Amino acid sequence: MDAQSLLLFVHVLLFVFWLGTDVGVFLAAKISEKSELSIETRATVLKLGMVLDRLPRSALTLIVPTGLTLAVNAGWLALPEAAVALVWVVCLAWLAILWVGFLKPETPTEQRVMLFNVAMNAVFALGVTGYAIYLLTATGTATWLAVKVLLVGLIFIAGVTLDAMFKPAVEAFLEIVREGATPERNEKYSRAISPVYKVVLAIYAFVIVAAYLGVAKPIA
């Protein structure tokens, strides 16, 4: 297996871990809404979902450098080696910092790392989306590739939105844990988490379409 094939294999694995484990997070959140379960069970399931969430977050940090390298090596994008190397350094550092937070759960370190992660998602949302618009409007880049880059930018935008929307849901669930489940508190939690599902489904759609474009390359 040559280096390009190996990199493609890693890129596909990142897609599998990203989408596959995130479905587990989605299902854990849905189960946590079930009022017929004990609070302890609901809390355990949601906590499991948060552990699983480490994998899609990790995969997202490496999607950009692997995809960028594949495109440059194939001649689809023209970028200096130094620019590609810089993206790798930034993304690997991002991944390392993420895991510092993951390994110190429920600490001030984790809270700071999560804020850093939101900031990085925002930076990449602007950077990747802006780069996609540049590819679409000012270069002869293949349309399928430029649209794929745009979809990745939209995924980062959705990620920032998701983090913002999930905080009220967590607060509503913690109220249930502290004060007990009531129909009113359960309804409050369901209302708070409902918009989160919509954003997650949008991310799934973006990921699937981006993967299709990468495989089929239907638009010249």
Side-chain angles (χ1 to χ4, degrees):
M1 182 181 291
D2 59 30
Q4 184 76 345
S5 297
L6 179 60
L7 190 60
L8 177 59
F9 175 68
V10 172
H11 193 65
V12 171
L13 278 183
L14 290 170
F15 166 76
V16 171
F17 276 105
W18 183 2
L19 194 59
T21 54
D22 204 70
V23 170
V25 179
F26 184 92
L27 293 175
K30 292 294 289 185
I31 292 172
S32 72
E33 287 189 76
K34 293 183 177 295
S35 58
E36 64 269 23
L37 298 176
S38 68
I39 294 176
E40 292 78 11
T41 299
R42 294 168 68 184
T44 299
V45 169
L46 190 59
K47 187 173 182 179
L48 174 61
M50 296 304 97
V51 172
L52 287 175
D53 190 50
R54 296 172 181 178
L55 291 174
R57 287 183 184 273
S58 299
L60 181 59
T61 65
L62 298 179
I63 283 289
V64 170
T66 55
L68 185 65
T69 305
L70 284 168
V72 170
N73 289 348
W76 298 326
L77 286 178
L79 283 174
E81 289 184 5
V84 178
L86 177 61
V87 172
W88 271 103
V89 169
V90 170
C91 290
L92 288 172
W94 181 7
L95 179 63
I97 292 170
L98 265 183
W99 276 92
V100 168
F102 291 155
L103 295 175
K104 296 183 179 180
E106 300 178 11
T107 65
T109 297
E110 183 191 37
Q111 294 174 6
R112 288 193 293 270
V113 167
M114 289 302 101
L115 288 174
F116 169 79
N117 187 59
V118 172
M120 288 299 292
N121 271 282
V123 169
F124 272 72
L126 292 172
V128 175
T129 304
Y131 184 52
I133 293 171
Y134 166 74
L135 293 177
L136 283 166
T137 60
T139 72
T141 303
T143 304
W144 69 266
L145 180 58
V147 173
K148 182 178 179 179
V149 174
L150 179 61
L151 287 168
V152 174
L154 292 176
I155 289 167
F156 280 112
I157 292 172
V160 175
T161 305
L162 186 63
D163 283 333
M165 287 183 168
F166 194 59
K167 186 176 179 180
V170 170
E171 293 172 350
F173 189 79
L174 289 176
E175 184 178 341
I176 292 174
V177 173
R178 288 192 308 267
E179 302 179 27
T182 65
E184 292 77 15
R185 291 190 187 114
N186 287 331
E187 176 61 24
K188 179 180 178 181
Y189 175 54
S190 293
R191 284 199 311 270
I193 204 168
S194 179
V196 172
Y197 297 139
K198 295 179 176 64
V199 178
V200 171
L201 291 174
I203 291 175
Y204 292 169
F206 295 152
V207 172
I208 291 169
V209 175
Y212 171 77
L213 290 174
V215 172
K217 302 175 181 56
I219 314 169

